[in-house]
Amino acid sequence: AITKLEELKHSIEVLQAQIRSDFERKMELFRFSQVRREFLEPFFEEPYVIIPKRANEWYVIAPKWLNFQIGWLERSTKSYNIFVVNRYVKWFSEIPQSLEEKFKFAKPLPFKVYDGMLLTGRELQEEALRRYKRFITRREGEDRLRIKKGYEFKLIAQMVEDGTLPFMPTPVKEEDLRPYDGIKPRSYQEYAWNEFLNKGAIGVFWAFGSGKSLFGIYALARVKGRKLVVVPTLTLKEQWLERINKYIPQYRDEIEVVTYHAYDKVKANEYNLTIWDETQHLPANSFIRMATLRTKYRMGFSGSPYREDGRENYIIALTGFPIGMSWEELIRLQVVREPTFRVYILSDNREKMRKLGELLQIPVKTLIFCDWLDLGEKIAKTFNIPFVYGETRDRLE
């Protein structure tokens, strides 16, 4: 974070002289009042603004010309990027020290949850009891507390909310692994794999297209025994099965792939490894039972570990130690590319169909999304293309 901050300062210094003159020229051009130079130096020292959004969540607004990224980008104007930061961002990506001090994140406490116990140490047992009494049934000696049955994930979620990662590493046993060289992990995937080996439970929060699924395939190959992959849609189920059959057909019989709705089908089973794909769905009331499945090791994958209901703490609590990486780093490594968007604002559906006809003349692979079935059927019939929707079988085909 310090290195990035120094790079940022250097970039600002390089641009200062040019921007001062550009500002004045632009202001003259648009007949604004003369630039007040006394405010330029403070601007270059702190070229962003932090505004509270809600409890423990902030907007960070920075000019677009600044090579700056923090939290997740909520929206942009012509001149500014508007990011959102909350207490969990520090576990998903790096935050410069100077900024972290402004957010005043809660200081973590040295508490750990393990085998139905909250491990507190002697000095902090009273503090732990005061904070988390509603999750506790009794003391167990002088350095631990017994957690109420069924309350372990709720306690972990509350501790994450309070700024503490309470997980106890459960290293993967050597006898649970086997060699596999069919996929060569990239450097950041190798790092995540080593974290998994050391801790046994991780949440992987990388950008879309950065190889989370392929990392999962690698894990399914390396870990022996019965394994489960949980996904939110039938399309993703088909995709996982396709990749399993392509890369690791020799281990297909060890692996089940189900949707989040299939709890009753798998609740009696035990697994060596469970992977929750798109794990931002897991905290939903209808899906959270999936987190209680009996599994020796666990992984959660998400490119967008955020929820409208504010349950980001449960995304971490239900998966394990978070591993993140910024978009900038992935772009620098040429793992993902910056996408290009072009938006057409059209007056009605007739104009949309006309424009769609123009775009379909471009000889590139094209995917059309629409928001209601009648329109999808009309597009498919008009342009003689397949329509994929809820009842479509073999969607990937």
Side-chain angles (χ1 to χ4, degrees):
I2 291 170
T3 302
K4 286 201 169 191
L5 188 58
E6 290 301 322
E7 291 173 358
L8 188 61
K9 285 180 179 177
H10 178 69
S11 299
I12 292 170
E13 289 167 3
V14 169
L15 288 168
Q16 271 183 324
Q18 179 188 340
I19 289 168
R20 280 199 197 95
S21 61
D22 283 352
F23 271 12
E24 291 188 354
R25 185 173 56 84
K26 289 285 187 184
M27 294 302 177
E28 292 279 337
L29 182 64
F30 292 108
R31 297 182 182 178
F32 287 128
S33 60
Q34 188 177 3
V35 174
R36 298 182 63 179
R37 290 177 174 272
E38 68 268 26
F39 292 118
L40 282 180
E41 287 300 329
F43 173 79
F44 289 126
E45 290 176 13
E46 192 173 285
Y48 53 79
V49 61
I50 299 173
I51 301 173
K53 182 182 181 186
R54 58 187 180 192
N56 299 303
E57 195 165 66
W58 300 266
Y59 289 115
V60 179
I61 303 170
K64 277 188 169 179
W65 53 261
L66 193 63
N67 184 18
F68 179 82
Q69 166 82 34
I70 190 171
W72 72 94
L73 182 65
E74 184 172 273
R75 62 185 181 273
S76 291
T77 69
K78 286 185 177 180
S79 307
Y80 291 92
N81 287 324
I82 302 169
F83 302 97
V84 174
V85 173
N86 61 22
R87 70 187 71 191
Y88 316 112
V89 164
K90 63 181 178 180
W91 293 320
F92 298 148
S93 60
E94 295 177 0
I95 296 180
Q97 185 68 33
S98 59
L99 278 175
E100 186 166 347
E101 290 169 0
K102 294 180 183 295
F103 298 125
K104 293 182 172 58
F105 293 123
K107 186 177 180 181
L109 291 167
F111 298 152
K112 299 295 179 185
V113 172
Y114 181 73
D115 195 25
M117 295 282 189
L118 175 58
L119 309 182
T120 65
R122 292 186 179 185
E123 296 81 4
L124 292 174
Q125 190 183 57
E126 288 298 326
E127 173 69 10
L129 195 57
R130 182 184 66 79
R131 283 175 175 251
Y132 305 118
K133 188 174 182 179
R134 66 185 184 277
F135 305 107
I136 302 301
T137 182
R138 64 178 181 271
R139 299 174 190 265
E140 295 271 350
E142 298 179 349
D143 62 352
R144 61 193 64 200
L145 302 168
R146 172 68 65 179
I147 302 168
K148 290 180 182 177
K149 189 173 182 180
Y151 277 72
E152 191 165 312
F153 283 128
K154 292 179 181 178
L155 172 59
I156 292 173
Q158 184 58 58
M159 294 174 75
V160 170
E161 182 83 3
D162 295 341
T164 297
L165 282 179
F167 306 110
M168 281 285 286
T170 306
V172 179
K173 294 180 179 178
E174 193 65 37
E175 59 263 31
D176 289 330
L177 296 170
R178 63 183 159 221
Y180 171 74
D181 58 6
I183 295 172
K184 176 64 177 173
R186 294 170 169 148
S187 58
Y188 63 93
Q189 293 171 323
E190 190 71 46
Y191 169 79
W193 176 250
N194 288 329
E195 286 291 285
F196 171 68
L197 293 181
N198 291 330
K199 293 169 178 172
I202 60 172
V204 178
F205 306 112
W206 297 332
F208 309 100
S210 56
K212 293 186 294 293
S213 296
L214 211 57
F215 176 74
I217 296 293
Y218 178 80
L220 292 172
R222 291 294 311 273
V223 176
K224 296 178 184 176
R226 195 174 191 181
K227 295 169 286 284
L228 178 69
V229 180
V230 185
V231 298
T233 67
L234 291 173
T235 303
L236 271 176
K237 179 179 177 179
E238 285 185 30
Q239 194 172 55
W240 272 92
L241 289 172
E242 181 183 67
R243 289 176 178 174
I244 289 166
N245 290 329
K246 177 181 178 180
Y247 291 104
I248 51 171
Q250 66 272 39
Y251 306 129
R252 174 68 187 88
D253 292 343
E254 299 177 358
I255 305 164
E256 296 173 65
V257 183
V258 302
T259 69
Y260 280 97
H261 296 89
Y263 173 76
D264 288 332
K265 294 180 180 178
V266 296
K267 64 183 180 182
N269 301 338
E270 291 188 39
Y271 300 96
N272 263 15
L273 171 65
T274 298
I275 296 174
W276 288 274
D277 197 12
E278 304 295 347
T279 192
Q280 72 272 12
H281 294 278
L282 191 54
N285 290 334
S286 51
F287 299 149
I288 200 166
R289 293 184 303 172
M290 273 290 184
T292 66
L293 296 175
R294 286 171 288 180
T295 184
K296 199 169 186 180
Y297 311 114
R298 58 178 62 219
M299 291 182 176
F301 297 159
S302 177
S304 54
Y306 310 105
R307 290 181 57 86
E308 290 296 323
D309 62 7
R311 281 182 160 183
E312 286 94 344
N313 55 335
Y314 274 89
I315 298 174
I316 301 171
L318 300 171
T319 51
F321 292 90
I323 299 170
M325 181 177 282
S326 69
W327 275 88
E328 284 74 16
E329 185 66 13
L330 290 166
I331 290 169
R332 187 186 67 78
L333 293 171
Q334 298 184 330
V335 173
V336 298
R337 293 179 298 171
E338 292 189 70
T340 300
F341 295 89
R342 183 171 293 174
V343 180
Y344 300 95
I345 308 299
L346 302 164
S347 57
D348 54 33
N349 280 338
R350 182 177 178 180
E351 280 297 295
K352 286 183 184 180
M353 293 293 285
R354 181 192 61 77
K355 189 65 184 179
L356 186 56
E358 287 181 12
L359 294 172
L360 289 175
Q361 299 302 309
I362 302 170
V364 295
K365 186 178 287 188
T366 303
L367 184 63
I368 304 165
F369 285 94
C370 62
D371 60 356
W372 44 293
L373 292 174
D374 289 346
L375 180 59
E377 290 174 356
K378 182 178 180 181
I379 291 170
K381 185 176 180 181
T382 302
F383 299 107
N384 191 30
I385 54 180
F387 179 36
V388 179
Y389 62 106
E391 296 181 14
T392 303
R393 298 176 68 86
D394 301 321
R395 297 179 191 191
L396 291 183
E397 242 174 72

